Amino acid sequence: MKTYSIAVLEGDGIGPEITREAVKVFRAIEPIAGVSFDLRFAPFGGQAWFDHGTAFPEDTKRICDEADAILKGPIGLGTEASRQIPVDEQPERAGLLPMRKRYNTYANFRPVYLPPELCHFSPLRKERIPDGIDIMMIRELVGGLYFGEKERGVNGAGERYVKETLEYTDAQIRRIAHVGFQEARRRRKLLHSVHKSNVLLSSVLWNEVVEEVATEYPDVRLEHIIVDAAATALVLRPQAFDVMVMENMFGDILSDLGGGILGSLGLMPSACVGTEKSYYEPSHGSAPDIAGKGIANPYSMIGSVALLLEKSFGLDDAGRRIWDAARAVFGAGYVTADLAVPGQQAKMVDTAGFGDLVVAALKS
Ligand code: IPM
Ligand code: MN
């Protein structure tokens, strides 16, 4: 039997409790997929800084290096605890970004998906989304402002100033454009390329390269859309979108908007695909305010397992089974308190109860 090794980084806040449910799903899918998973837990994030003096310990790096894929929970601590960590050593800067860089995970897939029967989660009126919401946002993840040179100082006039740079090369844009077109080709053959070329020179190059790549995909319809207009259109007409491709910062912001139109970031799993290795994580933060209460929904983590099976190992059937199982649980009216919609009837379960129901649905 094939065994895959998976580095499991529980992270901070609600990370450990939603990871526990993802682990149950790994165990339940093994006999179904006919493979086994060697899960190797390792510390990562804000708590790792307190316990080991660094957000991304050397042992964790080794475990990730050796693993076939990485499942990562959300990271970050509450304001008080965060303040004790020097800015340069905070888990986002010293853990997450180095992880993205280390594995060159340039393609971040963020599905913004809500089937029609789950539309009650969305703050949008049902009439606006009769067929639900089904968008794949693709975010470039290792370039742009996040990784550009930074400088902070005091200028000649004695004023504090800061400078951050937004840099992209032709090759960086080209490879993410290909990812966008290929994804569109697998879906409804419509690609929106998001830009701000009326202001940013980086977007002028972005559009040029995307147009060049488009000639290789005559079967895909390409639309250019300005990022601010895209924000409005996502709320007013989410059904106008199929696949969207964008640079790092735009993708950070618009994908949270994606979570907003679904009704919660808790419904946003993601895949960070690299040249050799990929890691999988919820798109949301660690929600320290609700940590340990058993009210966080594990869907984003369970969906990340489904993406991991599909994208790292080509186990598409197993992945589909997990999506179907999780949606069946929502479809049967179960929710956790974090997702409860005021004024709506629901069967309330806790984090572990939700995971158990997904496992039961998987086995049925
Ligand atoms: C995300 C998160 C991260 C980002 C933070 C935690 C650094 O918001 O994955 O979207 O900005 O990329
Ligand atoms: Mn974000």
Side-chain angles (χ1 to χ4, degrees):
M1 197 185 358
K2 177 94 186 136
T3 298
Y4 295 107
S5 74
I6 314 284
V8 179
L9 318 179
E10 298 174 295
D12 301 316
I14 59 170
E17 58 202 282
I18 61 175
T19 302
R20 263 196 297 280
E21 305 316 307
V23 168
K24 287 182 192 167
V25 169
F26 266 123
R27 292 305 174 220
I29 203 74
E30 282 177 320
I32 296 172
V35 300
S36 73
F37 298 104
D38 177 10
L39 304 180
R40 301 175 184 183
F41 289 76
F44 184 79
Q47 193 54 47
W49 186 87
F50 283 100
D51 296 343
H52 305 276
T54 160
F56 197 177
E58 287 307 312
D59 268 353
T60 300
K61 286 182 186 155
R62 185 182 46 77
I63 289 169
C64 290
D65 286 352
E66 287 168 5
D68 296 314
I70 301 160
L71 180 71
K72 179 200 141 289
I75 54 155
L77 300 170
T79 321
E80 275 314 302
S82 285
R83 281 211 185 109
Q84 298 176 43
I85 307 179
V87 172
D88 286 347
E89 297 174 31
Q90 278 166 3
E92 294 83 356
R93 285 189 191 81
L96 190 55
L97 299 190
M99 162 85 79
R100 291 175 181 171
K101 194 98 218 153
R102 187 175 187 88
Y103 301 114
N104 201 9
T105 55
Y106 66 95
N108 181 204
F109 292 78
R110 297 195 156 178
V112 182
Y113 179 78
L114 204 60
E117 71 273 16
L118 301 187
C119 279
H120 55 277
F121 282 125
S122 174
L124 302 183
R125 280 205 302 274
K126 278 204 178 73
E127 309 86 84
R128 287 198 186 265
I129 45 170
D131 306 318
I133 299 172
D134 186 5
I135 303 167
M136 179 60 87
M137 291 194 181
I138 298 175
R139 167 186 179 193
E140 201 290 328
L141 202 59
V142 294
L145 281 170
Y146 276 64
F147 291 94
E149 255 174 57
K150 296 171 200 300
E151 186 182 295
R152 189 189 154 143
V154 178
N155 67 15
E159 242 186 336
R160 284 174 298 173
Y161 76 92
V162 63
K163 196 158 99 188
E164 310 202 57
T165 42
L166 199 175
E167 202 175 315
Y168 269 108
T169 65
D170 176 332
Q172 277 181 310
I173 300 169
R174 196 168 295 273
R175 67 180 178 179
I176 196 70
H178 276 289
V179 172
F181 280 104
Q182 276 160 21
E183 186 67 16
R185 186 170 263 178
R186 273 194 292 275
R187 293 170 44 109
R188 301 191 299 277
K189 302 193 169 47
L190 171 62
L191 178 65
H192 279 86
S193 170
V194 178
H195 68 92
K196 185 76 186 178
S197 69
N198 49 350
V199 175
L200 300 177
L201 196 54
S202 54
S203 283
V204 173
L205 179 63
W206 177 278
N207 290 357
E208 266 172 41
V209 175
V210 169
E211 296 262 331
E212 286 162 22
V213 174
T215 61
E216 295 176 48
Y217 301 86
D219 52 321
V220 174
R221 197 170 104 224
L222 169 66
E223 299 274 356
H224 298 284
I225 186 163
I226 301 188
V227 61
D228 47 354
T232 309
L234 274 165
V235 175
L236 297 182
R237 296 181 301 281
Q239 287 180 309
F241 296 99
D242 176 13
V243 179
M244 303 175 79
V245 65
M246 58 205 104
E247 65 90 42
N248 205 344
M249 187 85 218
F250 295 167
D252 180 44
I253 298 167
L254 287 191
S255 63
D256 265 35
L257 201 160
I261 60 174
L262 295 184
S264 171
L265 278 175
L267 299 172
M268 293 278 291
S270 91
C272 307
V273 174
T275 38
E276 264 130 57
K277 194 178 312 226
S278 303
Y279 84 91
Y280 301 81
E281 64 177 356
S283 299
H284 57 72
S286 60
D289 50 323
I290 62 164
K293 296 185 177 159
I295 61 174
N297 197 282
Y299 176 85
S300 60
M301 206 66 184
I302 291 173
S304 295
V305 173
L307 287 168
L308 182 154
L309 298 184
E310 293 166 356
K311 292 197 181 293
S312 278
F313 309 134
L315 297 169
D316 291 4
D317 281 340
R320 194 162 327 111
R321 295 277 296 264
I322 295 173
W323 293 120
D324 288 348
R327 286 165 193 159
V329 175
F330 281 132
Y334 293 101
V335 285
T336 43
D338 64 332
L339 291 185
V341 180
Q344 245 156 34
Q345 286 287 340
K347 296 178 225 165
M348 204 65 76
V349 285
D350 63 6
T351 307
F354 193 92
D356 290 339
L357 286 165
V358 173
V359 166
L362 261 178
K363 288 181 173 162
S364 71

